Amino acid sequence: MSTPVPSFDSLDKIYDPTAVPKQDKRYKKILAEFEKVHGRKAEFVVRSPGRVNLIGEHIDYCGFGVLPMAIERDVIIVGATTDDDTKVRVANINSQKYPAREFDYEGKEKVVTIDSTQLEWSNYFKCGYKGMLEKFRLDKPKGLFLMVDGTVPAGGGLSSSAAFVCASALAVVTANKLSISKTELTEIAIVAERNVGVNSGGMDQSASVLSEKDFALHVEFVPKLHTAPVPLPSTNPKLAFIIANTLVTADKFVTAPRNYNLRVVETHMAALFLAKVLNLPSVDTLKEVYDLYYKDSSLSQVERFSDLLAKAEQHYPNDNTNGNGYTLEEVSKMLDIPVKELQARYMTRFPVETDYFRLVQRTKHVLSEASRVIEFHKACENSQGDSTLNVLGDLMNASQESCDKLFMCSCPEINNVCEIARKNGSFGSRLSGAGWGGSTVHLTTEDNVPKLIDAIKNDFYRKVYPNITDEELDDAIIATKPCSGAAIYTGF
């Protein structure tokens, strides 16, 4: 039996001690608001956090592991139950922005209707509700009175949607006195979020549910979802992370053909090419190439990545574009696959636009980044205290350089924030999330947090966004330490 979702009776088991006074006020406020809105006492409180990816960008869809951590920002749900009906009455502490909603249980087969064409906040609750009740198939689930408070900024690349779905699923379990393991909760939340049209690989939900306080999480996807806690170094002063959202939003629908979709196709083509020249069966992810080629090897994981990188450089032909990549016709010849077949297999379901395919650069990024994840994990496990911060920082900086120059998924604003941060006491700064905008993550120490935040506010936000409000600034830049994953709170 896998570990059950933990219950904690004090906030210092969930959050860093420095955050407890602020969180204590917040919990008291939502409990009071719950009573005011629903006219009854709360019976349970659950929470699930957002996450930030510390290292391992654009390698999950190639089959390689990533290294996120849960952050302090989270979704809390306070609830009470009734046996009088099966209705769900869900309110939000920010009622102006997120009006109260009510819906009813629709029976074991349907559970609840979710219209994913509508951008509706309560859909995320319905996802968790539906996922759990599809699993447990109750004749008559409890009627619910709920109050939600979320502090994970939406659209900042910190997985606010996964935090909400995980907290919702946990609320349903807790209300109906069901028992579930952390792993089952994660697996249900991964599938449940697809009800709002988000096809996620599992990193976000794993980090939200399975993280432990003071630990990051190494998440692997192949051959199946597997996680291991990674102890972050004990340093004096303590380490801390700053997350700064550039507020640049890449419209995925518009930019995906030249950005995200194209990178996925390029990594598939790279794997097909390496499998061919290394005499392996035809596989189309770089993780499969790595696993097949080194299945009986005595080399360490990091040595394997270096070796495969060297072999890739040796086998790739020179391009005729001064480093800009290969045409589709050239790729077709390299793979011995007709152009029409390549288009049908990789460029039809998701649209792709490009003149050249940069297979060499993408291969270098994916293999070196996958190696950095292993190196980051090892450095944490064999921590030398303060000096380990330099090692981790160097890996984060190398990751950013690779994302920028080889994977080309950075942008001027990300580069600008990272440069400002490094000049003001960040050991390592990089983009976090898909890139082309979104968030950045910075490793520093507790004593340097105010200085670093001020520098980014003054040298980036106030210059680039002169009309930014204090409220927008507080959402855009946050300090955090690794916090607990999903939990039931009983100390009220």
Side-chain angles (χ1 to χ4, degrees):
M1 166 70 188
S2 168
T3 321
V5 175
S7 288
F8 296 125
D9 60 3
S10 72
L11 294 175
D12 59 4
K13 291 175 181 162
I14 299 173
Y15 305 100
D16 187 77
T18 55
V20 168
K22 183 176 69 178
Q23 292 295 346
D24 185 52
K25 252 201 252 174
R26 178 179 166 225
Y27 276 67
K28 282 179 176 144
K29 182 184 170 190
I30 190 175
L31 285 159
E33 194 65 19
F34 176 87
E35 279 189 43
K36 199 168 102 186
V37 169
H38 293 301
R40 59 191 59 222
K41 286 247 185 256
E43 294 168 18
F44 64 84
V45 179
V46 299
R47 52 82 66 184
S48 208
R51 64 95 191 102
V52 65
N53 194 24
L54 297 179
I55 199 156
E57 227 57 76
H58 284 284
I59 62 175
D60 51 349
Y61 53 78
C62 304
F64 291 108
V66 295
L67 217 147
M69 72 171 200
I71 60 174
E72 186 192 314
R73 299 284 182 111
D74 58 10
V75 173
I76 302 174
I77 301 179
V78 174
T81 62
T82 180
D83 291 323
D84 295 347
D85 59 32
T86 54
K87 283 185 179 160
V88 175
R89 306 146 193 91
V90 57
N92 194 298
I93 202 137
N94 185 350
S95 57
Q96 298 245 279
K97 194 172 178 185
Y98 304 112
R101 300 288 188 228
E102 190 174 299
F103 64 89
D104 207 344
Y105 180 56
E106 294 174 39
K108 282 184 193 176
E109 296 312 313
K110 200 166 193 187
V111 182
V112 67
T113 303
I114 300 172
D115 179 2
S116 63
T117 63
Q118 294 293 311
L119 196 61
E120 163 55 46
W121 79 274
S122 61
N123 277 351
Y124 292 98
F125 181 83
K126 287 180 177 177
C127 282
Y129 183 81
K130 188 177 172 77
M132 275 307 154
L133 293 181
E134 279 176 346
K135 175 181 169 62
F136 286 103
R137 302 182 64 78
L138 303 179
D139 290 319
K140 190 188 175 205
K142 300 272 189 191
L144 298 176
F145 298 89
L146 303 163
M147 173 70 71
V148 178
D149 178 25
T151 55
V152 190
L158 303 177
S159 298
S160 55
S161 56
F164 195 178
V165 172
C166 292
S168 304
L170 184 54
V172 176
V173 168
T174 310
N176 289 284
K177 297 188 162 49
L178 305 165
S179 68
I180 194 165
S181 72
K182 285 188 188 185
T183 308
E184 286 171 312
L185 176 59
T186 306
E187 286 164 352
I188 288 166
I190 291 168
V191 175
E193 201 172 327
R194 293 175 187 158
N195 286 311
V196 280
V198 177
N199 188 6
S200 91
M203 167 173 75
D204 302 347
Q205 296 81 1
S206 298
S208 190
V209 176
L210 300 163
S211 292
E212 294 174 29
K213 188 167 165 278
D214 301 324
F215 287 82
L217 194 71
H218 190 172
V219 184
E220 294 182 275
F221 305 97
V222 177
K224 64 183 182 24
L225 189 67
H226 174 263
T227 62
V230 178
L232 287 165
S234 293
T235 57
N236 188 13
K238 283 183 172 178
L239 63 72
F241 291 94
I242 302 287
I243 301 163
N245 184 351
T246 60
L247 305 177
V248 174
T249 51
D251 183 333
K252 282 181 188 150
F253 186 74
V254 176
T255 63
R258 284 200 164 269
N259 291 345
Y260 192 88
N261 297 357
L262 174 60
R263 300 301 183 279
V264 175
V265 170
E266 288 171 322
T267 63
H268 284 319
M269 289 173 165
L272 286 165
F273 175 72
L274 289 181
K276 178 173 172 271
V277 296
L278 297 173
N279 300 313
L280 300 172
S282 182
V283 291
D284 71 355
T285 69
L286 287 163
K287 175 77 161 82
E288 289 171 299
V289 171
Y290 174 90
D291 286 344
L292 285 167
Y293 193 69
Y294 295 104
K295 74 171 187 285
D296 300 317
S297 170
S298 60
L299 295 175
S300 74
Q301 283 176 291
V302 171
E303 287 168 342
R304 291 174 190 188
F305 283 118
S306 302
D307 186 58
L308 192 52
L309 268 167
K311 288 193 164 57
E313 291 199 42
Q314 188 187 321
H315 284 289
Y316 273 119
N318 288 332
D319 61 37
N320 303 308
T321 59
N322 202 19
N324 273 323
Y326 309 108
T327 62
L328 188 56
E329 289 68 28
E330 286 171 323
V331 173
S332 161
K333 282 190 188 128
M334 286 160 63
L335 302 180
D336 280 339
I337 297 174
V339 166
K340 277 199 166 59
E341 191 184 324
L342 276 178
Q343 285 170 326
R345 208 193 299 183
Y346 295 110
M347 299 161 73
T348 306
R349 188 166 164 222
F350 297 105
V352 168
E353 294 166 16
T354 187
D355 298 322
Y356 302 111
F357 295 84
R358 295 176 162 87
L359 307 197
V360 178
Q361 291 93 323
R362 308 317 183 223
T363 303
K364 283 181 181 173
H365 168 75
V366 171
L367 296 179
S368 64
E369 184 77 347
S371 182
R372 282 188 284 272
V373 171
I374 304 297
E375 292 168 65
F376 196 101
H377 188 161
K378 282 213 170 100
C380 288
E381 294 219 303
N382 307 315
S383 171
Q384 306 297 308
D386 293 12
S387 63
T388 306
L389 292 179
N390 292 310
V391 176
L392 301 182
D394 289 348
L395 289 167
M396 289 171 73
N397 290 332
S399 169
Q400 173 57 26
E401 177 77 1
S402 181
C403 285
D404 185 28
K405 301 287 192 296
L406 296 173
F407 219 70
M408 301 173 184
C409 62
S410 190
C411 67
E413 292 83 355
I414 288 173
N415 295 345
N416 186 2
V417 171
C418 290
E419 202 176 311
I420 292 163
R422 288 184 198 124
K423 284 179 184 159
N424 288 278
S426 167
F427 291 93
S429 295
R430 57 181 294 280
L431 64 86
S432 183
W436 298 292
S439 283
T440 57
V441 60
H442 312 273
L443 171 63
T444 189
T445 47
E446 213 171 48
D447 59 321
N448 190 55
V449 165
K451 177 192 169 193
L452 185 47
I453 287 181
D454 279 350
I456 296 173
K457 280 181 175 177
N458 293 327
D459 297 348
F460 177 70
Y461 291 111
R462 291 196 173 105
K463 284 183 181 170
V464 178
Y465 306 105
N467 299 324
I468 195 165
T469 65
D470 285 346
E471 192 187 347
E472 287 168 330
L473 261 180
D474 286 345
D475 253 3
I477 185 161
I478 59 181
T480 189
K481 294 191 183 152
C483 288
S484 152
I488 300 159
Y489 175 62
T490 58
F492 62 95

